[in-house]
Amino acid sequence: MLGKLTRWLRILGFNTIWAGELRKSSSEDVDNKILIMALKDDLVLITRDRDLAKKAKKYGVPVILIKDGDLVSRIKAVLSEVGIDIEKIDRMDQVRCPACNGMLVKADKRDIYDKIPPKSREIYDEFWMCENCGKIYWKGSHWRNIEKFIKLLKSCK
Ligand SMILES: [Zn+2]
């Protein structure tokens, strides 16, 4: 349910595990798995599921219950709950891989040359690679959309 929010929290640098991804890889009920993981790794549970939120509270897992609303209001709700200032989020080296939650590290263009689409090779010199899944990132049009969105987040305080 919160896949979009997950990707954005990763872009904003949060260590974010999405239960939807866990569910895909497991047929059993993952609620308990989620709570154990949260307790073990000091994670905050973000959910729309009231029952799960109740259960989490019972076990001492911090919870943010997400209400209906657009993406911007959801992200802002999370940021304010965890006490993070949006103004401080603007660096690429804080970004996590939206696809898998891995850390992005600066990559040498020569080392990853074959993995870069030819067009982007010509235009860009700075690249980042996900430590976990190996996906390559650069500040192309997609990054400009991200910056625009962060600006929007900052503007509607
Ligand atoms: Zn990745």
Side-chain angles (χ1 to χ4, degrees):
M1 282 187 287
L2 299 174
K4 218 172 184 180
L5 180 62
T6 299
R7 285 196 298 279
W8 272 103
L9 290 176
R10 287 173 180 167
I11 289 167
L12 294 172
F14 292 97
N15 174 19
T16 313
I17 299 158
W18 182 31
E21 287 165 341
L22 295 177
R23 281 199 181 95
K24 259 183 241 164
S25 61
S26 162
S27 55
E28 55 187 312
D29 178 37
V30 291
D31 283 4
N32 286 327
K33 220 166 145 183
I34 293 166
L35 296 180
I36 291 166
M37 211 183 241
L39 279 174
K40 210 177 97 219
D41 297 334
D42 264 333
L43 302 172
V44 178
L45 175 69
I46 300 168
T47 184
R48 294 180 64 187
D49 183 339
R50 279 173 192 284
D51 292 332
L52 180 59
K54 243 187 240 163
K55 205 168 168 187
K57 270 185 196 153
K58 210 172 94 188
Y59 288 101
V61 175
V63 191
I64 301 172
L65 188 61
I66 292 289
K67 298 181 187 87
D68 287 330
D70 59 15
L71 186 62
V72 172
S73 63
R74 284 179 173 178
I75 291 173
K76 292 186 88 71
V78 172
L79 291 177
S80 81
E81 284 278 346
V82 295
I84 284 183
D85 184 357
I86 181 77
E87 296 296 336
K88 294 192 174 131
I89 299 172
D90 56 5
R91 298 204 321 270
M92 190 69 170
D93 58 8
Q94 298 177 311
V95 171
R96 278 175 181 258
C97 175
C100 82
N101 197 40
M103 301 291 285
L104 298 194
V105 289
K106 206 95 191 248
D108 192 315
K109 192 177 180 179
R110 286 163 297 182
D111 294 343
I112 53 163
Y113 200 77
D114 296 341
K115 292 184 180 175
I116 309 167
K119 245 188 170 171
S120 305
R121 257 185 228 159
E122 280 171 38
I123 307 171
Y124 301 101
D125 286 314
E126 274 193 313
F127 294 89
W128 289 263
M129 189 165 79
C130 171
E131 276 187 327
N132 186 42
C133 74
K135 218 172 157 194
I136 307 287
Y137 294 90
W138 60 93
K139 290 185 173 179
S141 60
H142 197 66
W143 179 254
R144 283 192 288 280
N145 288 335
I146 288 171
E147 284 183 318
K148 243 187 249 166
F149 188 76
I150 292 176
K151 230 180 237 169
L152 174 75
L153 279 176
K154 287 179 180 176
S155 68
C156 48
K157 268 193 176 164

